Amino acid sequence: MHTVVVGTAGVTASDVLAVARGGARVELSGEAVAALAAARETVDALAAKPDPVYGVSTGFGALATRHISPELRARLQRNIVRSHAAGMGPRVEREVVRALMFLRLKTVCSGRTGVRPEVARTMADVLNAGITPVVHEYGSLGCSGDLAPLSHCALTLMGEGEAEGADGTVRPAGELLAEHGITPVELREKEGLALLNGTDGMLGMLVMALADLDTLYTSADVTAALTLEALLGTDKVLAPELHAIRPHPGQAASAANMAAVLAGSGLTGHHQDDAPRVQDAYSVRCAPQVAGAGRDTLAHARLVAERELAAAVDNPVVLPDGRVESNGNFHGAPVAYVLDFLAIAVADLASIAERRTDRLLDKNRSHGLPPFLADDPGVDSGLMIAQYTQAALVSELKRLAVPASADSIPSSAMQEDHVSMGWSAARKLRTAVDNLTRVIAVELYAATRALQLREGLTPAPASRAVIDAVRRAGIEGPGPDRFLAPDLAAADAFVRDGRLVEAAETVTGPLR
């Protein structure tokens, strides 16, 4: 099994994916253990002094003015975990919780939090045992950390609350720890606070969304090319010299992908005698510009994610010179903004895909295709309602594109009077990514059927490879009406697991 070694300098996106989705084992580097021990010595020294230090010998948030005596500090750390584990609503997905836990461990191992090495080792042990704390949908405002989600994870480290075992059964966390020989942690000064105070949930969801969107943007280029071909459009608009004079890298990449898919097509440019065209509609002609803008948005979001993956987010933090200082690095604004930005790009990519699908089904704009791609129009409805489903998904995506990060709400008796709502931005982006996959699947389903209805004209070799792979996947082609939901579900899976891109690349080579 793959092993990810966590050091002091942060982790990579591939590390997060390996642990969250691939079940990779986690180990602490010797450097990380040394840094943990050194920072803990600093915290212990401050705890022994009479002067109050936030998070070490004081209360938290609006209660930070109270100095906590030594005999109450362990209770204080337990209490913050118990009281903050106040999530509600449905359970969060296993991969999100594993990413959340791993990223918190990453920050702990930076040596900036003052957590003891044994606490970090327990965090790694829980991940390696496949124990997943029960975390709920609601409870984070994206500031002072993803508090409730992280608290539910910390509760498991204490042997309290509920968690899911490797077999998928939810049981008391204490039982699961015992079965794996893991001793529950007894938290000391600052450790409870350090386990809760980070942007790890929203960051983990950002990293996974970026990975999914990498595949989906290439998938959208492929389906856009198939639709252009099925509509007998021109591929001249994909010429690299046209995109070079507006030098957005994402636009050039999308145009290059579409051109590669369409190479050798016998359909492009076949304008019918009774419906001559000078230009294709915007949804076809401007596909690289829209998808390219989304690609450039992905690049910006990836830069933010990389910076956050290298960060040590906690409050207070232990600095290299031994100072323990309060700060505002836990504010989720940098991550929240790009999560919202991605949701906007996703909604627009879905919107243009839906418009292309609608053109394929409209006999007045499809240049000779039967109405709704039906076998016997009137008797058969064809893909009429498949497009309704796609339109409903697009409408939902537009609602999900409304930014969460613009909706701060005060908390903690006005001490925490401006928050990022980054967790909420991440949650709605996950839904948006799922829905974009479905929208692309409907376009794929319609475009492959339309291409097969163009009798006497030969699709591009890459298009033919996609059609053949779709049919091998059990997704039926043209014919009389049938139960559509299974075909659409199969098309969704075909896009979701990357088979669409793989099929095209058997001819084109690697797409961008």
Side-chain angles (χ1 to χ4, degrees), residues 13 43 48 57 77 83 85 103 117 168 175 236 250 267 269 346 447 465:
V43 170
S57 53
Q77 300 301 320
S83 66
L103 287 168
E175 291 181 10
K236 291 182 179 180
L267 285 87
V346 163

Side-chain angles (χ1 to χ4, degrees), residues 31-359:
E31 175 192 32
V33 173
L36 284 159
R40 187 63 208 180
E41 288 180 5
T42 299
V43 170
D44 286 342
L46 288 170
K49 294 181 179 180
D51 301 326
V53 177
Y54 177 70
V56 176
S57 53
T58 71
F60 309 114
L63 302 176
T65 55
R66 178 177 172 182
H67 182 262
I68 307 299
S69 59
E71 65 273 13
L72 292 177
R73 290 175 189 170
R75 178 180 163 192
L76 169 69
Q77 300 301 320
R78 288 195 303 272
N79 284 351
I80 189 176
V81 172
R82 290 168 175 165
S83 66
H84 285 45
M88 295 182 73
R91 283 181 57 193
V92 172
E93 304 83 358
R94 181 176 185 271
E95 67 177 14
V96 172
V97 179
R98 285 185 63 82
L100 173 78
M101 294 169 65
F102 174 67
L103 287 168
R104 197 67 216 140
L105 176 61
K106 173 269 297 183
T107 287
V108 165
C109 286
S110 69
R112 296 285 169 260
T113 68
V115 168
R116 288 169 294 152
E118 49 264 48
V119 176
R121 290 193 185 99
T122 303
M123 296 171 76
D125 289 343
V126 169
L127 282 166
N128 293 337
I131 298 170
T132 306
V134 171
V135 172
H136 300 279
E137 180 83 14
Y138 303 106
S140 174
L141 300 180
C143 203
S144 290
D146 288 319
L147 287 174
L150 281 162
S151 297
H152 282 276
C153 293
L155 201 65
T156 294
L157 299 178
M158 293 166 48
E160 301 181 16
E162 290 188 320
E164 180 186 290
D167 63 355
T169 303
V170 174
R171 296 166 53 196
E175 291 181 10
L176 290 167
L177 295 186
E179 283 185 6
H180 291 275
I182 301 171
T183 302
V185 297
E186 292 284 346
L187 298 176
R188 288 169 46 180
E189 290 93 343
K190 195 184 179 301
E191 290 179 334
L193 183 62
L195 293 176
L196 317 185
N197 218 337
T199 55
D200 309 291
M202 64 182 88
L203 176 59
M205 287 185 274
L206 172 60
V207 168
M208 289 186 283
L210 287 169
D212 294 339
L213 289 170
D214 274 342
T215 299
L216 287 175
Y217 267 83
T218 304
S219 300
D221 292 339
V222 175
T223 58
L226 297 178
T227 298
L228 182 152
E229 194 175 23
L231 290 171
L232 309 177
T234 177
D235 58 356
K236 291 182 179 180
V237 295
L238 305 175
E241 57 269 26
L242 291 174
H243 299 279
I245 61 175
R246 194 187 189 195
H248 294 289
Q251 175 179 323
S254 284
N257 283 345
M258 290 181 66
V261 172
L262 292 171
S265 173
L267 285 87
T268 53
H270 274 270
H271 296 187
Q272 293 174 290
D273 294 338
D274 60 346
R277 276 173 286 163
V278 177
Q279 300 179 119
D280 291 315
Y282 283 10
S283 61
V284 177
R285 188 177 6 139
C286 301
Q289 285 77 8
V290 173
R295 284 174 170 270
D296 292 341
T297 303
L298 286 178
H300 171 60
R302 190 171 294 109
L303 176 61
V304 172
E306 288 169 355
R307 290 170 176 164
E308 200 76 1
L309 287 168
V313 176
D314 193 15
N315 180 48
V317 291
V318 181
L319 295 174
D321 61 8
R323 286 180 295 141
V324 176
E325 295 286 359
S326 293
N327 65 90
N329 284 341
F330 49 72
H331 199 290
V335 182
Y337 291 168
V338 294
L339 289 163
D340 280 335
F341 198 178
L342 288 174
I344 292 169
V346 163
D348 202 36
L349 184 64
S351 179
I352 197 170
E354 183 274 331
R355 287 293 81 205
R356 289 192 297 263
T357 304
D358 184 63
R359 296 189 77 81

